[in-house]
C-alpha cells in the first residue's frame, strides 16, 4: 500500500513566507530614506542611486559563489547566515563613518541577500517535498509583501517610531529580520523526503559552474530581465529626489506605498493567467507598457507622471515574473540552473550601471530627470528582443 504523504507543513510554509519577506525589505527601505541619508553623507544624485543599486549588483555577482557556499555548508546554514549578514549589514549602513564604508556595507548586504535568495528554491524542494509549487508561491508572495513593507511603511510607520532618525529606522527594520533568522533554526527536514530533492541539493554545487555563454537564450532573456529590473529600480532610486525637486514631496509616502504594491498585484495577475508563461506577447506587452510608463514619469509632472510610475511598476513586475518563470519551462535538467544563473548575472549586472550613469548626467547637466534617460533608452532597445519571432513558444527547449 502507498505510504501516506506527510502532514501539511504549515510551520515550514510560514517560515518560507517570512524568509521571502526579508528578501527586499532592507533594499527597498532605502529609497524613502534616500534624501536623509544623502544629507548625512553629502551625496549627490549619483550617490543616491548607488544606495539602492549597489545591493542589486551584489545580488547579481553573488549568486554563483552563493551556490558554492550552499553546497559546502547546506541550505539551512546558508539561509540563516545570509539573513543574519543582510540584517547586520543593513544596520551598519546607519553607522558607517564615511560614504565609502556606506557603499561597502551596502554591497555586503546585497551578498547576504544573494546567499539565501539562491538557497530558497532548493529549500522548497527539501523542506516541503510534497508541496514544492506551493512552497515557491509562498516565499514569492512573502517577497512581494516585503517590497510593499520596506518601501511603503518606512516613512509613515517605522521612521516615526524611530524618532525621525533614519539610522534608528534601519535598526528597527533589522529586529524582525534577526528574529526570522532564529526561527529558521527550528525548521526540520521531513523524514520521508525522497532522494530526488536531496540529490538536487547535492548537485547544486556541481551546477555552479559558469553559465553557457554560447547559449543565445542566456543573452536574450538576460537582457530582457535587465530591462524589467532597471525600469523598476530606477524609479525607486530617484523617486524621492525627483518629487522633491518638482515640489511634490507630500505625495512621496503614499506613492512609494502604491508603487511597491504593484509587484504584489502583478503576481496575482500572472497567477490568474498561467498561460502567459513561456509566451512572447505577454512579455513584449508588459515591456512596452513599462517603457511608456517611465516616459510619462520622466517628461510629465503631477498625477500624469504618478500614473506613469505606477504603470511602470506593475508592467515591469509582470515582465520580471514571466521571465523568472522561463528557465523551468524552456530548459531541462542542469540547463535550468545554468540559464537562471546567466540571466540573473546579466539582468541584475546591467541594472546597476544604468541608474548610475543617469545620476552622473544629472549632476553635470543640472536636469534631475535625465537620471532616468539611460534606463529609458535601454528599455526601448530591449523591446526589439521582446519582438523576436523565435521567442513565442517552447521551441528553444532542450
Amino acid at each position: 500500500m502507498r505510504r501516506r504523504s506527510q502532514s501539511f507543513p504549515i510551520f515550514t510554509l510560514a517560515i518560507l513566507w517570512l524568509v521571502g519577506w526579508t528578501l527586499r525589505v532592507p533594499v527597498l527601505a532605502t529609497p524613502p530614506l534616500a534624501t536623509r541619508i544623502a544629507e548625512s553623507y553629502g551625496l549627490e544624485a549619483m550617490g543616491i542611486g548607488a544606495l539602492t543599486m549597489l545591493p542589486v549588483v551584489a545580488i547579481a555577482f553573488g549568486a554563483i559563489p552563493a551556490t558554492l557556499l550552499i553546497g559546502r555548508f547546506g541550505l539551512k546554514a546558508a539561509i540563516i547566515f545570509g539573513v543574519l549578514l543582510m540584517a547586520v549589514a543593513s544596520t551598519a549602513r546607519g553607522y558607517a563613518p564615511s560614504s565609502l564604508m556606506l557603499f561597502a556595507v551596502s554591497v555586503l548586504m546585497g551578498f547576504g541577500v544573494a546567499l539565501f535568495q539562491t538557497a530558497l528554491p532548493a529549500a522548497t524542494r527539501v523542506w516541503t517535498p510534497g508541496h514544492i509549487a506551493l512552497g515557491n508561491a509562498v516565499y514569492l508572495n512573502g517577497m512581494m509583501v516585503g517590497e510593499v513593507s520596506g518601501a511603503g511603511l518606512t516613512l509613515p510607520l517605522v521612521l516615526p517610531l524611530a524618532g525621525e532618525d533614519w539610522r534608528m529606522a534601519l535598526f528597527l527594520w533589522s529586529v524582525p529580520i534577526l528574529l526570522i533568522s532564529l526561527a529558521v533554526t527550528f525548521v526540520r527536514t521531513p523524514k520521508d523526503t525522497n532522494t530526488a530533492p536531496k540529490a538536487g541539493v547535492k548537485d547544486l554545487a556541481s551546477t555552479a559552474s559558469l553559465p553557457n555563454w554560447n547559449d543565445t537564450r542566456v543573452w536574450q532573456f538576460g537582457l530582457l530581465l535587465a530591462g524589467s529590473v532597471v525600469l523598476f529600480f530606477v524609479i525607486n532610486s530617484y523617486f524621492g529626489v525627483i518629487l522633491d525637486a518638482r515640489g511634490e514631496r507630500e505625495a512621496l509616502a503614499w506613492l512609494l506605498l502604491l508603487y511597491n504594491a504593484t509587484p504584489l498585484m502583478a503576481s496575482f495577475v500572472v497567477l490568474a493567467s498561467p498561460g502567459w508563461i513561456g509566451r512572447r506577447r505577454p512579455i513584449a506587452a508588459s515591456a512596452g507598457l513599462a517603457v511608456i510608463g517611465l516616459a510619462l514619469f520622466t517628461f510629465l509632472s503631477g498625477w500624469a507622471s504618478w500614473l506613469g510610475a505606477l504603470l511602470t511598476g506593475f508592467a515591469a513586475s509582470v515582465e520580471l515574473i514571466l521571465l523568472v518563470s522561463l528557465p523551468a519551462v524552456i530548459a531541462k535538467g542542469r540547463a535550468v540552473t545554468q540559464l537562471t544563473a546567466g540571466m540573473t548575472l546579466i539582468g541584475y549586472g546591467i541594472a546597476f550601471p544604468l541608474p548610475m550613469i543617469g545620476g552622473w548626467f544629472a549632476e553635470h547637466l543640472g536636469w534631475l530627470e535625465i537620471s532616468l534617460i539611460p534606463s529609458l533608452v535601454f528599455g526601448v532597445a530591449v523591446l526589439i528582443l521582446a519582438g523576436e519571432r523565435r521567442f513565442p513558444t517552447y521551441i528553444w527547449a532542450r
Side-chain angles (χ1 to χ4, degrees), residues 211-265:
N212 179 11
W213 300 116
N214 294 322
D215 186 348
T216 56
R217 300 173 301 175
V218 171
W219 294 98
Q220 181 172 12
F221 300 146
L223 290 171
L224 285 168
L225 181 63
S228 66
V229 171
V230 75
L231 293 187
F232 184 85
F233 274 100
V234 74
I235 291 181
N236 250 335
S237 298
Y238 295 110
F239 225 153
V241 291
I242 288 178
L243 290 186
D244 191 39
R246 292 174 177 175
E248 301 169 355
R249 190 171 187 175
E250 71 283 352
L252 178 62
W254 66 267
L255 273 174
L256 276 173
L257 178 59
L258 288 177
Y259 184 78
N260 288 281
T262 56
L264 186 59
M265 293 185 287

Side-chain angles (χ1 to χ4, degrees), residues 18-73:
L18 289 170
V19 174
W21 178 82
T22 68
L23 276 170
R24 294 293 181 266
V25 170
V27 176
L28 292 176
T30 303
L33 303 172
T35 53
R36 292 172 172 82
I37 299 174
E39 290 171 1
S40 298
Y41 287 95
L43 301 178
E44 300 292 340
M46 188 174 178
I48 292 173
L51 288 175
T52 300
M53 299 312 299
L54 273 173
V56 173
V57 76
I59 293 171
F61 289 96
I64 292 176
T67 307
L68 291 171
L69 290 174
I70 294 166
R72 175 66 177 83
F73 297 103

